[in-house]
Amino acid sequence: MMSMASPTDGPDPVTLRDAETARRIARAAAKGGPADRQPTPEQLLAAFEEPEATPEALRRVENALRFAGVEVAPPLGEATPGVRVTLEVRPLDPVPRGRAVRRGLVGLGALALLVAGVTLAAGVPGGDDERADVLPDVPVTGPTGPSGATGATGPTGATGTTAGSRSATTPTTTTSAAQRAAARKRAAERERAAERRRREAARRAAARRRVTVRLTPAEPTFLCVDDGAGRQLFNGTLTSRRTFTGRRIRLNVGLASTRVTINGERYRLSGSPDGVDITRTRRTPLPLGQRPCS
């Protein structure tokens, strides 16, 4: 496992080459995606062509990044090898004058000439799209095994390393799956509510089509009742009040003294015996031979 020693405090001179490298990393972190803002310590060291994480190398990288307005969290000296750190880009303070400038940049008068040479030496194309080669792909072995597999365009490109892609896409994938599950749950709830409404509407419609017939005998009398579809509901002597409910009720009543109500309204029998075919909307007298049990 790589040892990350903490760099000593205090600013060191920053070369033009390091300043240019740090500037490109800062630009990529400000404009790029999660993989650009969260490189591994090994990638930062490789960007500055440092093969090992020595205290001097760590101090060089952090001083250059700090000069470009980039803070590393956690500091490189506290970072775990193979585990991504976060680059926090802050606006640069106004350029100080005098001694600090001379200490910060070696050879300030040659800046314009050396920048082009540094860019060519680093093999980085000009223009705004400088992220592809800012942080090289560095296979490392972290605490949980090999990581940092190279992607199509490097860790700071469109796809980044395999670990970088997982870091960048897993939250979105998880969120999308949760949103789809929530949408399915809402759709199922709407379907259940619609089914309840359909059943309730059907029940009310059926109730509106049903008729309730109550018979109260003045004295025991013969009674036969069916539902008009061949199912017999009663056949015998009526001695006490009986109630029948359905879409169709057919009666054959022995005595006209029997009190009959249909949905609470009195219906008077015309003779003894008498028969009637009853629905929600009509009352049809039944002649002999068509009455139940006849």
Side-chain angles (χ1 to χ4, degrees):
M1 181 179 293
M2 182 181 296
S3 175
M4 291 290 183
S6 176
T8 59
D9 296 333
D12 286 344
V14 178
T15 66
L16 287 174
R17 186 183 185 88
D18 287 355
E20 178 63 16
T21 300
R23 182 191 67 81
R24 287 187 280 112
I25 293 175
R27 178 179 296 181
K31 296 183 178 180
D36 299 309
R37 294 189 293 271
Q38 293 182 326
T40 63
E42 291 78 10
Q43 289 173 328
L44 291 174
L45 288 167
F48 287 87
E49 301 179 357
E50 287 286 356
E52 296 183 3
T54 63
E56 293 77 12
L58 296 175
R59 183 168 59 248
R60 173 192 171 193
V61 172
E62 285 199 334
N63 284 343
L65 291 174
R66 190 175 295 112
F67 188 85
V70 179
E71 292 292 338
V72 183
L76 291 179
E78 301 174 8
T80 302
V83 177
R84 294 178 176 272
V85 297
T86 300
L87 302 183
E88 300 176 354
V89 183
R90 54 178 174 78
L92 290 174
D93 295 332
V95 178
R97 298 183 179 276
R99 194 173 201 179
V101 176
R102 290 192 299 273
R103 183 174 179 82
L105 288 176
V106 177
L108 181 60
L111 176 61
L113 295 176
L114 290 180
V115 167
V118 169
T119 303
L120 292 175
V124 180
D128 291 335
D129 188 10
E130 298 178 346
R131 293 178 291 163
D133 297 321
V134 172
L135 296 174
D137 296 329
V138 179
V140 298
T141 302
T144 58
S147 63
T150 304
T153 59
T156 59
T159 59
T161 64
T162 301
S165 298
R166 286 197 298 268
S167 176
T169 60
T170 297
T172 301
T173 302
T174 303
T175 301
S176 299
Q179 290 172 345
R180 288 194 295 271
R184 287 194 296 269
K185 181 178 179 181
R186 290 193 297 270
E189 290 175 350
R190 288 195 297 269
E191 181 60 29
R192 287 194 294 268
E195 180 61 25
R196 287 195 296 269
R197 290 193 295 270
R198 286 193 292 268
R199 288 198 298 267
E200 181 62 20
R203 186 191 66 78
R204 288 196 298 266
R208 288 193 295 268
R209 292 191 297 269
R210 294 168 71 85
V211 62
T212 299
V213 179
R214 180 174 289 117
L215 296 97
T216 306
E219 53 186 303
T221 181
F222 167 76
L223 175 67
C224 186
V225 183
D226 68 21
D227 64 356
R231 186 166 68 95
Q232 194 172 86
L233 304 178
F234 185 87
N235 182 12
T237 301
L238 181 68
T239 58
S240 60
R241 184 170 63 185
R242 295 290 298 268
T243 301
F244 304 93
T245 301
R247 297 184 64 179
R248 185 180 182 188
I249 301 294
R250 297 198 320 149
L251 302 178
N252 185 2
V253 186
L255 296 177
S257 61
T258 302
R259 179 183 177 87
V260 180
T261 61
I262 302 173
N263 288 341
E265 297 181 359
R266 178 73 181 271
Y267 176 83
R268 296 184 181 279
L269 299 173
S270 60
S272 298
D274 194 10
V276 60
D277 188 350
I278 304 169
T279 65
R280 182 79 179 182
T281 57
R282 61 184 174 81
R283 286 83 168 118
T284 305
L286 294 175
L288 288 172
Q290 296 183 12
R291 300 170 184 172
C293 304
S294 61

